[in-house]
């Protein structure tokens, strides 16, 4: 194998290499030519791709509409865990499956509500949301416990149960 030197590189660049004659396609043929994609790319485009590791998790949630946040607080029979989040927030997205798990495990004790701080800035400023995600537990319409940041499900459940037992 020859050593790579500047002289060898310069000589290789200086020698002309034969190139096959390129045929220029007509403008109409180029415009109407079918797209050439790999089978994988075609599956992705059609939405039939096999599930991937780390793919987005779909969370089934009950979406309710209230005329105001205060009405939601008043009409709730159980304490509310309110998740203040933003769509661009990475830790907030990490918390989606964890909140689903918390909601399933503590369904008899608490109701989970998510509020987008970008859409409802007045609510976020009323409760002084400065970090995301922020979780506030409301009991009898009033905030009784608050914590911030992403947590594993077991730690979150422990915090909620401790907060509910203290406020009884």
């Amino acid at each position: 194998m020859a050593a790579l030197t500047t002289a060898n590189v310069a000589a290789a660049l200086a020698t002309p290499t034969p190139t096959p004659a390129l045929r220029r396609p007509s403008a109409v043929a180029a415009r109407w030519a079918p797209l050439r994609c790999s089978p994988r790319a075609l599956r992705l485009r059609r939405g039939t791709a096999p599930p991937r590791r780390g793919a987005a998790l779909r969370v089934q949630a009950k979406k309710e509409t209230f005329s105001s946040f205060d009405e939601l607080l008043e009409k709730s029979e159980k304490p509310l865990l309110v998740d203040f989040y933003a769509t661009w927030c990475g830790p907030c997205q990490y918390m989606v499956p964890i909140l689903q798990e918390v909601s399933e495990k503590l369904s008899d004790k608490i109701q989970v509500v998510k509020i987008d701080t970008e859409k409802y800035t007045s609510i976020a400023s009323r409760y002084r949301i400065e970090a995301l995600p922020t979780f506030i537990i409301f009991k009898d319409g009033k905030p009784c416990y608050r914590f911030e940041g992403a947590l594993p499900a077991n730690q979150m459940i422990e915090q909620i149960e401790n907060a509910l037992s203290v406020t009884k």
Side-chain angles (χ1 to χ4, degrees), residues 114-129:
K114 293 177 67 71
I115 294 182
D116 187 347
T117 57
E118 298 288 310
K119 288 183 183 176
Y120 302 101
T121 54
S122 60
I123 297 172
S125 62
R126 184 189 330 170
Y127 294 103
R128 295 185 179 100
I129 306 302

Side-chain angles (χ1 to χ4, degrees), residues 37-52:
C37 296
S38 68
R40 178 171 163 70
L42 289 173
R43 281 196 318 266
L44 288 174
R45 193 172 305 140
R46 288 188 205 123
T48 59
R52 296 182 315 194

Side-chain angles (χ1 to χ4, degrees), residues 90-103:
C92 299
Q93 301 307 316
Y94 167 78
M95 291 302 295
V96 170
I98 293 172
L99 280 173
Q100 181 69 27
E101 183 180 338
V102 168
S103 178

Side-chain angles (χ1 to χ4, degrees), residues 2-138:
L4 186 63
T5 63
T6 33
N8 291 347
V9 172
L13 290 175
T15 57
T17 55
T19 57
L22 297 176
R23 197 183 92 197
R24 219 177 150 154
S26 69
V28 175
R31 198 175 329 151
W32 297 105
L35 292 175
R36 291 190 180 107
C37 296
S38 68
R40 178 171 163 70
L42 289 173
R43 281 196 318 266
L44 288 174
R45 193 172 305 140
R46 288 188 205 123
T48 59
R52 296 182 315 194
R53 178 183 272 173
L57 175 70
R58 284 192 187 255
V59 176
Q60 299 299 323
K62 183 170 72 170
K63 203 168 195 178
E64 294 183 38
T65 306
F66 290 89
S67 59
S68 71
F69 183 64
D70 297 323
E71 179 187 344
L72 172 66
L73 293 174
E74 288 172 16
K75 292 188 176 183
S76 176
E77 299 102 25
K78 297 187 267 187
L80 288 176
L81 171 65
V82 180
D83 171 22
F84 290 92
Y85 76 100
T87 54
W88 50 262
C89 169
C92 299
Q93 301 307 316
Y94 167 78
M95 291 302 295
V96 170
I98 293 172
L99 280 173
Q100 181 69 27
E101 183 180 338
V102 168
S103 178
E104 289 169 1
K105 287 186 178 177
L106 299 177
S107 62
D108 57 328
K109 296 180 183 179
I110 201 161
Q111 179 182 354
V112 178
V113 176
K114 293 177 67 71
I115 294 182
D116 187 347
T117 57
E118 298 288 310
K119 288 183 183 176
Y120 302 101
T121 54
S122 60
I123 297 172
S125 62
R126 184 189 330 170
Y127 294 103
R128 295 185 179 100
I129 306 302
E130 296 173 355
L132 295 175
T134 296
F135 303 95
I136 301 178
I137 297 176
F138 289 87

